[in-house]
Amino acid sequence: MNTQKLPPFYNEMHAADGSVREIYLPYARWLEALPAGTLERKSAEAELLFRRLGITFAVYGEADGAERLIPFDIVPRIFGTREWQRLEQGLKQRVKALNAFLHDIYHEQEIIKSGVISAQQVLGNALYRPEMRGIDLPNQVYAHIAGIDLVRVEQNEFYVLEDNLRTPSGVSYMVENRKTMMRLFPELFATHAIEPVEHYPQMLLDTLREAAPPYVTNPVIVVLTPGAYNSAYFEHAFLASQMGVELVEGQDLFVQQQKVYMHTTEGPRQVHVIYRRVDDDYLDPLVFRPDSMLGVRGLLDAYCSGNVALANGVGTGVADDKSTYLFVPDMIRFYLGETPILSNVPTWRLSEAEDLKYVLAHLQELVVKEVQGSGGYGMLVGPTSSKAEIVAYKHRILAEPANFIAQPTLALSGCPTLVESGVAPRHVDLRPFVLSGRDIRLVPGGLTRVALKEGSLVVNSSQGGGTKDTWVLEA
């Protein structure tokens, strides 16, 4: 094991002198008054509730393919109104610029012509979809649902870790975590003024309605899932149920005369908006992967004809590629004429010779990621990796440097978490969900993911992380 130590981190509940930060004071007093064993008992109740609800996910690559519960931590993460307002402004600004970028690269390509970003970076990206050139979308929105991952390193210092614009997941856990906390600890919600998140499904439904073709006044909306074996199937079913719309698979839909229809017991019914949780490659076997059993033949033709809307739009992946991430602050300046409110993590592009040289010499200090990776897979965390793991990863980088970026190992903030020894800080990140329709909006909060192992910085559920409820206190 690499013996290099991680830097000290910002403790969200306790100041350096051990005192409780003001925002956590009422919760800390409540916690101190609890009878011994209460949290442990409530945690067991929460696990039972999650099992009954079937809130599970599958881990890709595991031999048994078993469904797992995402561990739920019952100690909330708390934000104040002012700090949340700043995050909200920064998130809206970022998503607005990302949608402007997507519209531009499929139309006039002004950002390429200006030299802000190279043609190779955009047009040479495997996730760029030439089929989308010149296609106009309602409200010029491509990423209707964006999951923006944030990390905190100081009291007022947050960084955007990555932008998830293809099929971002996890919002069902945000909603269910809140329901569970309200059921287990009603007294906390009576004594804390906490902003609600449970209206997210209605907000999502409004966003999808606004994505409908302009001539449609009462759109038929469906959620398209790859099926019950997908790792996020619980979420697909949950959101369809909460919005009161049909959950469908590709075989339930068909295209006729450039329009999409759904099979029903009463005959075909036209569909106007598809909230798709299927990747681009599998959407239409006539255009993308011909072996796909998950999509709908002719779907892209119907989409490009303006007869059906897809959320998120085809071709959004080029904007959440980790090599494109480097240019988002430039997008904000270029399209909005504004200074970025939220900063990127300093990032090295391994396609650049000087960056590559530096990173190879400092692998033991850095985090290295695949540019099109997700879910914490294919990542190297240098300070917690063995020498053998670092050497093996170095060979992967040398084989294809352009497939990787590197970032410093940030001291992610720590949040109080129930562990075997009691309540102790564990590293966290935050994924707020930003919805874009005629306006950009989000619920106050998001999915806090927590690395349950002491010292670990990897919060992804696929890598052993858990989740917790995120509170934004009302002013």
Side-chain angles (χ1 to χ4, degrees):
M1 179 66 71
N2 191 342
T3 56
Q4 180 172 328
K5 290 186 178 180
L6 294 169
F9 59 88
Y10 175 78
N11 188 312
E12 296 192 3
M13 183 171 178
H14 291 101
D17 62 3
S19 61
V20 177
R21 299 188 192 278
E22 183 179 354
I23 197 165
Y24 271 92
L25 271 173
Y27 181 80
R29 294 190 193 105
W30 173 86
L31 197 60
E32 195 174 338
L34 274 186
T38 302
L39 284 185
E40 290 77 6
R41 179 169 51 81
K42 293 287 187 180
S43 182
E45 282 183 43
E47 182 175 334
L48 187 60
L49 283 171
F50 275 48
R51 285 195 185 281
R52 284 178 180 166
L53 289 168
I55 306 177
T56 61
F57 74 103
V59 180
Y60 293 127
E62 296 221 333
D64 59 3
E67 296 279 318
R68 287 192 196 170
L69 282 181
I70 293 183
F72 171 60
D73 180 61
I74 59 173
V75 180
R77 183 184 193 181
I78 305 176
F79 287 99
T81 302
R82 281 188 190 172
E83 58 187 352
W84 177 256
Q85 285 173 344
R86 179 174 170 271
L87 289 180
E88 184 177 33
Q89 290 169 357
L91 290 163
K92 287 181 175 180
Q93 178 194 59
R94 192 172 180 99
V95 170
K96 185 177 182 180
L98 284 162
N99 271 311
F101 168 73
L102 285 162
H103 177 78
D104 183 29
I105 63 173
Y106 290 116
H107 288 78
E108 299 304 318
Q109 301 185 347
E110 296 293 346
I111 200 166
I112 296 174
K113 292 172 185 174
S114 69
V116 173
I117 188 168
S118 73
Q120 174 58 29
Q121 176 64 41
V122 176
L123 308 181
N125 192 303
L127 299 173
Y128 182 79
R129 300 297 184 191
E131 300 87 355
M132 291 297 293
R133 287 293 305 273
I135 304 300
D136 294 320
L137 302 183
N139 307 308
Q140 296 186 3
V141 171
Y142 288 72
H144 306 82
I145 303 101
I148 309 296
D149 291 347
L150 302 172
V151 293
R152 184 182 204 166
V153 294
E154 287 295 342
Q155 173 75 43
N156 297 308
E157 194 174 353
F158 291 82
Y159 287 104
V160 176
L161 200 57
E162 61 185 56
D163 307 291
N164 299 281
L165 306 179
R166 282 176 276 179
T167 53
S169 64
V171 76
S172 59
Y173 304 114
M174 175 189 78
V175 177
E176 287 292 2
N177 288 353
R178 175 61 55 84
K179 286 182 182 177
T180 301
M181 287 291 287
M182 293 179 77
R183 180 168 176 171
L184 293 177
F185 302 108
E187 71 278 14
L188 280 175
F189 291 84
T191 55
H192 289 72
I194 303 162
E195 294 276 7
V197 299
E198 47 269 38
H199 58 295
Y200 175 86
Q202 182 59 51
M203 197 180 282
L204 174 60
L205 184 61
D206 292 342
T207 300
L208 295 174
R209 284 177 176 148
E210 291 171 10
Y215 61 85
V216 179
T217 54
N218 189 23
V220 174
I221 300 169
V222 298
V223 176
L224 175 62
T225 176
Y229 294 105
N230 183 265
S231 64
Y233 181 74
F234 166 80
E235 177 157 297
H236 307 164
F238 172 86
L239 290 173
S241 172
Q242 292 291 306
M243 290 190 290
V245 304
E246 293 292 335
L247 179 68
V248 300
E249 296 182 30
Q251 62 193 3
D252 301 319
L253 304 176
F254 68 95
V255 174
Q256 193 169 40
Q257 296 181 329
Q258 298 182 315
K259 294 179 180 178
V260 179
Y261 294 88
M262 169 174 52
H263 294 289
T264 76
T265 54
E266 298 173 354
R269 187 181 186 194
Q270 189 177 349
V271 172
H272 305 105
V273 182
I274 300 174
Y275 176 26
R276 52 95 171 209
R277 300 297 292 262
V278 174
D279 289 339
D280 283 2
D281 280 344
Y282 299 92
L283 275 178
D284 184 345
L286 293 181
V287 182
F288 303 125
R289 287 187 56 148
D291 60 341
S292 173
M293 304 292 288
L294 304 176
V296 185
R297 295 172 66 86
L299 178 58
L300 193 73
D301 186 31
Y303 177 55
C304 292
S305 299
N307 293 324
V308 68
L310 293 173
N312 284 347
V314 173
T316 56
V318 67
D320 80 1
D321 182 288
K322 292 179 177 63
S323 63
T324 306
Y325 157 92
L326 279 73
F327 299 96
V328 179
D330 295 323
M331 294 176 199
I332 292 169
R333 296 184 188 96
F334 183 80
Y335 295 113
L336 310 182
E338 299 171 2
T339 300
I341 296 169
L342 297 171
S343 299
N344 273 15
V345 179
T347 303
W348 291 272
R349 297 173 65 195
L350 274 60
S351 56
E352 303 290 326
E354 285 301 311
D355 286 11
L356 176 62
K357 182 180 177 182
Y358 177 85
V359 168
L360 290 176
H362 296 84
L363 279 176
Q364 72 277 12
E365 305 165 18
L366 304 173
V367 174
V368 188
K369 303 174 183 177
E370 297 173 334
V371 295
Q372 292 175 15
S374 62
Y377 294 102
M379 186 169 74
L380 176 81
V381 181
T384 60
S385 297
S386 67
K387 288 183 179 178
E389 287 168 337
I390 291 172
V391 169
Y393 209 93
K394 184 176 183 178
H395 289 307
R396 290 186 60 202
I397 293 170
L398 288 170
E400 208 154 359
N403 276 356
F404 299 89
I405 60 160
Q407 295 170 332
T409 306
L410 296 179
L412 306 191
S413 63
C415 191
T417 302
L418 181 63
V419 295
E420 284 189 16
S421 59
V423 176
R426 291 292 183 266
H427 295 298
V428 291
D429 78 352
L430 178 68
R431 177 177 290 181
F433 295 88
V434 186
L435 299 174
S436 298
R438 295 192 191 100
D439 300 305
I440 303 174
R441 46 197 182 252
L442 63 160
V443 296
L447 180 68
T448 288
R449 301 183 298 178
V450 54
L452 295 171
K453 296 176 184 175
E454 186 173 6
S456 174
L457 297 172
V458 182
V459 299
N460 305 73
S461 54
S462 56
Q463 310 295 312
T467 69
K468 53 169 70 224
D469 193 15
T470 308
W471 293 2
V472 175
L473 300 185
E474 293 178 359

